[in-house]
Amino acid sequence: MSQHTATAPLSGGPVLSEEVREALTRGKPVVALESTILAHGLPRPRNLAVGLELEALVRSEGAVPATVAVVDGVAYAGLDKAQLERIAGGDVRKLGHRDLAPALATGATGATTVSATAFLAARAGLRVFATGGLGGVHREWAQTQDESADLALLARTRITVVCAGVKSILDVPGTLQRLETLGVGVLGYGTDRFPGFYLADSGEPVDWTVHRPEEVAAVMAAQDALGGPESALLVANPVAEAEQLDPELHDRVLAEALAECRERGITGQAVTPFLLGFLVRATGGASLEANLAAVRGNVRLGARIAGAWAARA
Ligand code: PSU
Ligand code: MN
């Protein structure tokens, strides 16, 4: 039996790889992984290597990876190598959850953002999802009203998202406020500070701190016991200080990136990839290394949380 034979979903959710389906049937830990970070957040060809590395990292922690994407109009949780290559190969769309229906109907191929990944993963019955940094409220919000669809979707999706906070290109206090308004729970993992994506500390506090995967699983169980609303749980896991981007370099280059974005009139879905790409170039790749360190840490922790969650069942 090949681990990459896709299986039709039971109830209209994404098509599962054989490996994911079997893990779900047996109550084994599974971690959903996002594909926009690969297709639109990381430069080629490194992105394909990273995609494979993240899947291997999940396996090394005893869990099964389920990378989510849409290929030729079909949504998948768990990609084979050829599908991952398609997503990493470039020229694929960026799909938020609102884009899923048109993508399916037109046979499009696209990478899923946090909102689309969380939606599809939850439909597949997955409970843990690891990514880099969430989308959120952009700094020019008062003019553009640009707030990522990630936030509203997470307010009504029962999934645990391990992230290094929200991308520091955003209005971090504004995003935290929106998460509070939307009723999305936030746990600091081993910290009482909200992480700053490339930085270990965004400068903002978090209200709740946990130190072990079992504690996260206990919070997830308590969410279910409460019975609603069906909101997500964010586990905010900081990048190690030794691996973070130099905070001074970060602040300087970010100011340049935001100015350039404004000058060029870049808006909508293009804003986040532009800013991330600008930072990579302007830091000589240092932001990329910090980004990858954060993602690796989140994927590892996601696998451990999935393990603790599976152990409760
Ligand atoms: N974090 C990264 N790289 C990324 C993203 C997050 O390290 O590319 C993506 C995620 O998929 C997130 C999206 O959902 O950016 C947010 O984009 P927008 O602001 O257009 O909603
Ligand atoms: Mn946006």
Side-chain angles (χ1 to χ4, degrees):
M1 181 201 66
S2 156
Q3 67 181 30
H4 289 309
T5 313
T7 321
L10 293 176
S11 59
V15 172
L16 308 179
S17 67
E18 181 64 27
E19 190 189 15
V20 168
R21 191 194 53 76
E22 196 178 289
L24 280 174
T25 310
R26 297 193 180 177
K28 296 259 176 63
V30 184
V31 180
L33 301 173
E34 179 212 326
S35 49
T36 290
I37 182 175
L38 301 178
H40 305 282
L42 298 171
R44 276 192 303 276
R46 181 97 182 261
N47 59 349
L48 176 62
V50 170
L52 293 167
E53 181 196 345
L54 297 179
E55 294 193 344
L57 202 51
V58 171
R59 290 199 177 89
S60 74
E61 294 289 339
V64 169
T67 303
V68 174
V70 175
V71 181
D72 296 327
V74 179
Y76 292 92
L79 302 181
D80 64 26
K81 181 119 187 286
Q83 291 168 332
L84 198 63
E85 281 169 0
R86 280 286 293 286
I87 294 301
D91 204 27
V92 299
R93 297 191 65 128
K94 174 178 164 182
L95 307 174
H97 69 93
R98 73 170 184 159
D99 302 308
L100 289 172
L104 264 52
T106 61
T109 295
T112 49
T113 67
V114 167
S115 76
T117 306
F119 171 76
L120 290 169
R123 290 281 287 124
L126 306 185
R127 187 61 184 264
V128 180
F129 164 25
T131 184
L134 299 187
V137 178
H138 284 262
R139 292 177 188 227
E140 313 262 272
W141 185 86
Q143 288 78 47
T144 62
Q145 311 275 297
D146 187 346
E147 173 187 329
S148 177
D150 292 354
L151 301 187
L153 190 282
L154 293 175
R156 49 194 162 87
T157 304
R158 180 47 52 82
I159 197 160
T160 296
V161 186
V162 186
C163 60
V166 301
K167 279 162 292 173
S168 54
I169 58 175
L170 300 168
D171 176 346
V172 176
T175 303
L176 282 169
Q177 181 55 56
R178 284 292 290 154
L179 288 168
E180 181 181 347
T181 302
L182 290 164
V184 178
V186 182
L187 305 177
Y189 195 84
T191 181
D192 59 3
R193 313 294 299 166
F194 191 65
F197 189 52
Y198 299 119
L199 308 175
D201 180 356
S202 69
E204 302 296 319
V206 285
D207 292 337
W208 298 94
T209 302
V210 293
H211 296 93
R212 294 181 307 118
E214 292 75 19
E215 291 175 71
V216 178
V219 175
M220 292 160 65
Q223 274 187 310
D224 288 355
L226 281 164
E230 294 284 298
S231 52
L233 178 66
L234 300 186
V235 178
N237 181 39
V239 66
E241 243 172 71
E243 294 183 295
Q244 75 175 353
L245 189 59
D246 171 31
E248 198 198 307
L249 176 66
H250 171 269
D251 293 354
R252 178 162 52 77
V253 170
L254 178 57
E256 292 168 17
L258 292 166
E260 176 107 1
C261 192
R262 204 174 309 123
E263 254 162 55
R264 294 221 222 155
I266 292 166
T267 57
Q269 276 197 329
V271 170
T272 296
F274 172 80
L275 291 174
L276 294 176
F278 186 101
L279 257 71
V280 172
R281 292 189 299 277
T283 62
S287 76
L288 178 59
E289 296 312 318
N291 185 343
L292 291 175
V295 177
R296 284 190 197 103
N298 296 340
V299 167
R300 202 176 292 120
L301 178 59
R304 291 178 186 166
I305 292 169
W309 180 245
R312 292 183 70 96

